[in-house]
Amino acid sequence: MKNFEKLLLQNKAWAAENTANDPNYFKRSAHIQTPEFLWIGCSDSRVPANDVTGTEPGEIFVHRNIANLVVHTDLNLLSVLQYAVQVLKVQHIIVCGHYGCGGIKAAMTNKELGLINKWLRNIKDIYRFHRDELDAIEDYEKRADRLVELNVVDQVMNLAKTSIVQHAWKEENRPTLHGWVYEMHSGLLNPVSMLQPGDFIDPLYRYDI
Ligand code: CO
């Protein structure tokens, strides 16, 4: 059997098991999705949003990219954000990074990686803003993991800088923004930042909303 055929076979088993446990399982989720959460995570295959949060299909709206970045010119991210906030009316947005992130580590090198360097530039800027703190950490893995945390904090702030979030904060007093970091060795999520509607953001980034 080819490796991709295994996926289709496992899908049949998964569908059968769910239907056996609950005959209406798929009928229910096919009708409506009302997730309360938007997840912005890393594309890394080891950090699946539903699995690590113990949630079912229908509970989390998901966007993933390399190193879980919120980039203001990324039409994909902005479209997901707008739909989640304005149509699905999510209550919480979670930016979730993970320790040992390859994207973060790549941004700490001088390797010429082609197109992806342009994406990782965003992380280099975060390193530059925190250069003193990061350079003072001797252990390479610990320094990379601290950058993972600082990156998540910055991406949460990037969400608050969007007019999409600022409109929702003003008009509907939601969503709450969370920054979490997933720890692969333990499987645990480490909350590192949180912003609630009305929390302080640099006036330079506030719109007249
Ligand atoms: Co990663």
Side-chain angles (χ1 to χ4, degrees), residues 78-101:
L78 292 174
S79 301
V80 168
L81 179 66
Q82 183 182 15
Y83 187 76
V85 171
Q86 295 179 1
V87 180
L88 297 174
K89 299 194 177 294
V90 295
Q91 297 293 328
H92 301 273
I93 302 177
I94 298 149
V95 176
C96 187
H98 64 101
Y99 297 117
C101 182

Side-chain angles (χ1 to χ4, degrees), residues 41-44 46-47 65-68 97-104 184:
C42 184
S43 298
D44 192 300
R46 298 163 295 179
V47 197
N65 61 43
I66 291 174
N68 40 271
H98 64 101
Y99 297 117
C101 182
I104 296 286
M184 287 194 192

Side-chain angles (χ1 to χ4, degrees), residues 62 74 95 99 103 110 114 121 136 192:
V62 173
D74 179 358
V95 176
Y99 297 117
N110 299 99
R121 247 285 304 273
V192 294

Side-chain angles (χ1 to χ4, degrees), residues 43-61:
S43 298
D44 192 300
S45 62
R46 298 163 295 179
V47 197
N50 283 115
D51 293 67
V52 305
T53 55
T55 48
E56 294 287 327
E59 289 191 77
I60 303 190
F61 200 61

